[in-house]
Amino acid sequence: MTAMNSRVSKIHARQLKKLEKVCEGSEGEIDKSVRKRMEQLRLLILNTCAEDNVATNAVVRDRCFKALQAELFELEKAIEKTAVKAIGDVAKIGHESALLEAGKKNVDPGLMKYDHDRTKQYHQLVAPQNGQNLAAVFTQKIGGNLIQNLRNTYRTNFQEAQLNGWSTREQSKRLQIKWAEIAQDENNFRFIDSAGRKWDNARYAQMLTRTNNMRVYNDSMADSIIGMGLDLARISEGGDPDCPKCAAWEGQIVSITGTDKRFPTYDQARVAGVFHPNCVHTLEYVDPDIDEDEIARQAKMKPMQHDPASMARHKDAVDEQRHIDNGMTRSDARVQVTKDRLERIVRNGISPQHSKEVVSALDTNQLRQLRKHGIPDFNVANKGQAAGVTENAVRVPRDYTTDDVVSGLKKWLKQKGG
């Protein structure tokens, strides 16, 4: 794990709790607004179904569509209001984090006050390039799908009426039944992304707000570091266990502006996949004095490529060199890095409770074999699924013990020829 001075570490953890509180609050408000408006949409459709001439009177149908769009516009405004407030709160926390982690002795008093114009700047930053706000993307997609579904159902119903000679009463009765079914089907009120995936609205709202808030926090942190006349930051440890792209960049020092050619840039980390939607990694302050050794170490070992495999090898090399600089032999340093990686993967994949015990159960030769073959992923078997090993993973029983994890890992090594 990358060295980080304890004072900064404690401040960073405290600030992240404040950030989490803001994120949870905004997610809850948006979820509440979405649920309320979705119920209103259902009622509007059902009320329209109660009108006897719904199938024969275009005015009735158009009135329904306009009411649906108006309700969605109100939802858009509610989401945007919550999002803008959260962006302002998060930006201030990011600014405050940079100042606190730097220590007041390094900070110009003029920087201490947050410039509220930055809130507007960050809001524009996270809005889509086409100028639509994030709430509009969400609500218009739901509204477009819902209204198109209602229109298509009316069109099909009309065609069937012409073919079968239904009376106007029969035509309306059948459309009422079909529109009522649409109103009761949860899938018609879910956000569908460009890949065709239907999202639970609460989860989509969480992803939307969390992604934007984390982007704002990091950029506010970066801007405040630059404002202090500095350029370097570090990518935090302990993020998403399911994202190898992020894991390979953990602890990496980056140049925010790109002027320090000894390090990858903040933008290059983004392009490589760090800070993706739902990512919880953040920037951390790098102290030019306290972190001098780490800066020098990483400066000598700039990664040439930024793909996950290359960055993972680079991270291992930096970690090994840190152990060597602290007095370890190269052989022992390699074993220690393998231990650290194994513990992290077990902790993130299944449980912190067993991670240290699993590492302790392996001998040096087995750890060296893991370094040679790589470390598999760890996951718990789903209901009705058997434990076992695959080419890249160890699957443990649902009620697993440390022995189950170690046994599975040794079986995986044996399969690899270790």
Side-chain angles (χ1 to χ4, degrees), residues 21 189 240 359:
K21 186 175 180 180
F189 300 86
D240 184 355
V359 173

Side-chain angles (χ1 to χ4, degrees), residues 45-263:
I45 298 171
L46 291 172
N47 287 338
T48 303
C49 289
E51 301 203 30
D52 292 335
N53 59 348
V54 62
T56 57
N57 192 331
V59 173
V60 172
R61 296 192 301 276
D62 287 343
R63 187 171 65 234
C64 175
F65 298 150
K66 288 179 182 178
L68 293 174
Q69 290 171 333
E71 199 67 37
L72 285 161
F73 182 64
E74 290 302 315
L75 172 59
E76 179 186 324
K77 289 196 298 184
I79 292 175
E80 193 67 6
K81 181 179 179 181
T82 302
V84 169
K85 182 181 184 306
I87 285 170
D89 293 342
V90 166
K92 283 185 277 188
I93 293 172
H95 175 68
E96 182 184 63
S97 295
L99 301 181
L100 291 173
E101 290 178 27
K104 291 184 180 180
K105 63 181 177 64
N106 296 324
V107 178
D108 184 326
L111 290 172
M112 293 297 291
K113 188 174 180 181
Y114 176 76
D115 180 359
H116 288 276
D117 286 342
R118 285 169 65 173
T119 298
K120 184 182 295 184
Q121 169 193 331
Y122 294 130
H123 181 247
Q124 292 171 345
L125 175 73
V126 298
Q129 302 250 336
N130 62 7
Q132 281 187 312
N133 60 50
L134 291 156
V137 173
F138 177 65
T139 58
Q140 290 178 18
K141 190 71 181 291
I142 289 178
N145 291 335
L146 177 60
I147 292 173
Q148 188 60 46
N149 198 356
L150 293 168
R151 289 186 186 277
N152 288 343
T153 303
Y154 162 73
R155 188 179 300 112
T156 301
N157 188 74
F158 176 78
Q159 291 169 348
E160 290 177 349
Q162 299 305 303
L163 286 172
N164 298 310
W166 295 340
S167 66
T168 56
R169 181 176 176 79
E170 180 69 14
Q171 188 178 341
S172 285
K173 181 179 178 181
R174 289 176 180 268
L175 184 62
Q176 287 169 330
I177 292 171
K178 292 173 181 177
W179 273 23
E181 289 174 351
I182 289 174
Q184 301 296 343
D185 187 348
E186 184 70 28
N187 288 323
N188 290 307
F189 300 86
R190 288 184 176 177
F191 180 83
I192 304 174
D193 65 20
S194 56
R197 293 172 297 186
K198 290 182 178 179
W199 287 73
D200 174 83
N201 287 334
R203 291 193 64 184
Y204 185 84
Q206 180 187 51
M207 183 277 292
L208 181 148
T209 53
R210 182 146 310 224
T211 299
N212 291 340
N213 287 342
M214 295 305 289
R215 174 71 189 269
V216 168
Y217 173 86
N218 284 322
D219 279 8
S220 182
M221 179 92 172
D223 288 343
S224 297
I225 289 173
I226 293 171
M228 288 184 270
L230 302 172
D231 178 54
L232 301 182
R234 173 173 30 219
I235 296 173
S236 64
E237 303 263 2
D240 184 355
D242 297 321
C243 184
K245 294 178 182 178
C246 291
W249 281 78
E250 287 185 348
Q252 175 65 49
I253 293 174
V254 295
S255 170
I256 298 170
T257 64
T259 55
D260 194 328
K261 304 302 181 183
R262 300 175 300 169
F263 303 96

